[in-house]
Amino acid sequence: MAALKYAGLEDTDSEEELPPGWEERTTRDGWVYYANHLEEKTQWEHPKSGKRKRVAGGLPYGWEQETDESGQVYFVDHINKRTTYLDPRLAFTVEDNPVKPPTRQKYDGNSTAMEILQGRDLSEKVIIITGANSGIGFETAKSFALHGAYVILACRNMSRGNDAVQRILGEWHKAKVEAMTLDLASLHSVQQFAEAFKSKNVPLHILICNAATFGAPWCLTEDGLESTFQVNHLGHFYLVQLLEDVLRSSSPARVVVVSSESHRFTEIKDSSGKLDFNLLSPSKKEYWAMLAYNRSKLCNILFSNELNRRLSPHGVMCNSVHPGNMMYSSIHRSWWVYTLLFTLARPFTKSM
């Protein structure tokens, strides 16, 4: 009871009334949280009822949501020419208490990126995502940007990259997003991108190596390497090496390498058990698109594991991830047969 008295929870019988020193606030994406000014801390649950809430509906006519320099959301009433940190929609909240089976994990195949980032304030984070103009990369970039991060979309096609930036700005006009040129099929382009990023003199907290090609016909890059291997693995390998010093100086930082479960269905060793480099960048005669993709994804995981071993003592974590079977992406565009197979499998896979 002494603890309840100290927290002010015994001052009223109303379950919804806040104790003295508490304030109700909202995030930019509409979730309600509670600030305890006495202890200078915040929490998602109502201090008395323990319930989570979110606001319902849009802002009233004439109101606009803004963010101050510290990242806190405030509201502008253009009709009455006033500002307030109190969300006018707080009178219309709904409880967020989904009933889930006790054995269900926190996130699953139905979770969205916005749900996973719910309540996160990323306003101080700088993030690079390769291949961010479409598919998984775009959804990742959008989700980070809508939670306040400064996101750089590293794209081969600047026209598509700028279109992606405009789509994100269309959802939140104050999103901090930018497109920069990065062609992983050119080691010179990777070097130019790294130099251009470093010239900004900003930290790097998250680097997501997402870009990939799948089912592409055999061809050599300007560096003389098979394109699937260079785009999916070697280009990212080189990018991380060039930005390693920035990552280390920005710790805690993270590298995320998007791999695939298909890495299991290949081998990169010869009959004697030794690594066969000829398998990584094969000749046209020995090339099979699916195997090339699988080998590049295996390289992603081996690289991620070794990178984490080397950099985690310096505050840089590295993870590789299978994002799930998301056939709605355009990774299969290289051959109509893959497009047909992906279309048939679509009802059984995750949406973007």
Side-chain angles (χ1 to χ4, degrees):
M1 292 300 295
L4 288 176
K5 183 176 182 180
Y6 176 77
L9 300 183
E10 45 137 39
D11 288 355
T12 174
D13 293 330
S14 172
E15 187 181 65
E16 294 302 319
E17 187 174 346
L18 289 172
W22 287 79
E23 181 185 358
E24 196 172 36
R25 295 177 178 174
T26 56
T27 63
R28 61 173 58 90
D29 51 350
W31 293 96
V32 177
Y33 69 100
Y34 302 90
N36 182 346
H37 295 295
L38 299 177
E39 299 183 14
E40 297 184 347
K41 65 179 183 180
T42 61
Q43 63 188 52
W44 293 110
E45 296 80 13
H46 190 286
K48 297 184 68 176
S49 68
K51 297 177 181 177
R52 291 192 177 202
K53 294 183 178 182
R54 56 185 174 83
V55 295
L59 288 168
Y61 176 76
W63 286 78
E64 184 180 8
Q65 180 177 285
E66 300 285 355
T67 307
D68 63 18
E69 294 180 354
S70 64
Q72 187 173 339
V73 175
Y74 69 96
F75 301 88
V76 181
D77 180 357
H78 291 290
I79 296 177
N80 297 307
K81 294 182 172 51
R82 63 189 180 94
T83 62
T84 176
Y85 283 91
L86 185 67
D87 191 329
R89 298 169 295 176
L90 281 173
F92 306 99
T93 58
V94 295
E95 291 182 16
D96 180 58
N97 289 314
V99 178
K100 297 182 179 180
T103 57
R104 184 179 178 183
Q105 60 188 8
K106 186 174 182 182
Y107 303 119
D108 61 17
N110 295 315
S111 301
T112 68
M114 293 298 287
E115 289 173 347
I116 291 171
L117 289 178
Q118 174 195 330
R120 304 277 181 145
D121 181 7
L122 303 178
S123 56
E124 301 299 322
K125 302 298 183 183
V126 179
I127 303 173
I128 293 176
I129 305 171
T130 67
N133 59 277
S134 64
I136 299 169
F138 175 75
E139 295 299 329
T140 305
K142 181 180 73 172
S143 302
F144 279 136
L146 295 182
H147 284 79
Y150 169 33
V151 183
I152 294 175
L153 286 68
C155 306
R156 177 177 58 87
N157 187 313
M158 276 303 290
S159 176
R160 294 177 181 176
N162 289 327
D163 286 345
V165 167
Q166 292 305 313
R167 287 160 61 193
I168 295 172
L169 290 173
E171 297 207 25
W172 185 37
H173 69 286
K174 287 196 172 183
K176 294 173 286 185
V177 285
E178 176 185 357
M180 292 179 61
T181 302
L182 172 64
D183 184 358
L184 293 164
S186 165
L187 297 181
H188 179 65
S189 174
V190 176
Q191 184 179 26
Q192 285 186 318
F193 173 87
E195 291 173 354
F197 174 77
K198 287 183 176 181
S199 69
K200 295 179 178 293
N201 294 316
V202 296
L204 176 58
H205 302 102
I206 302 175
L207 170 60
I208 300 181
C209 301
N210 162 77
T213 183
F214 173 85
W218 182 89
C219 71
L220 296 179
T221 67
E222 64 181 48
D223 302 297
L225 297 163
E226 190 278 312
S227 61
T228 299
F229 170 65
Q230 180 164 338
V231 171
N232 292 7
H233 172 64
L234 192 62
H236 283 129
F237 179 95
Y238 187 40
L239 178 64
V240 174
Q241 305 308 305
L242 294 175
L243 297 179
E244 179 181 331
D245 56 337
V246 186
L247 287 163
R248 289 175 60 159
S249 65
S250 307
S251 65
R254 178 172 304 199
V255 177
V256 180
V257 182
V258 180
S259 183
S260 170
E261 277 290 335
S262 65
H263 80 277
R264 301 180 186 278
F265 307 109
T266 190
E267 184 57 85
I268 54 175
K269 295 180 181 178
D270 60 22
S271 56
S272 64
K274 295 183 179 180
L275 180 64
D276 186 353
F277 287 100
N278 292 323
L279 295 175
L280 300 181
S281 184
S283 65
K284 184 175 183 179
K285 181 179 179 181
E286 298 172 326
Y287 177 78
W288 183 24
M290 192 69 224
L291 270 181
Y293 177 80
N294 293 354
R295 286 168 181 158
S296 70
K297 297 290 103 177
L298 176 57
C299 289
N300 287 163
I301 292 175
L302 296 175
F303 168 56
S304 172
N305 290 349
E306 178 62 17
L307 189 69
N308 189 69
R309 187 186 70 81
R310 296 188 185 193
L311 295 189
S312 57
H314 303 283
V316 182
M317 179 185 294
C318 186
N319 303 105
S320 56
V321 58
H322 168 56
N325 298 316
M326 290 185 271
M327 303 301 194
Y328 285 80
S329 71
S330 58
I331 194 172
H332 54 76
R333 62 184 176 272
S334 299
W335 190 26
W336 69 267
V337 174
Y338 286 126
T339 301
L340 176 61
L341 293 174
F342 278 40
T343 301
L344 294 174
R346 180 171 292 182
F348 310 100
T349 60
K350 296 165 64 176
S351 72
M352 292 310 303

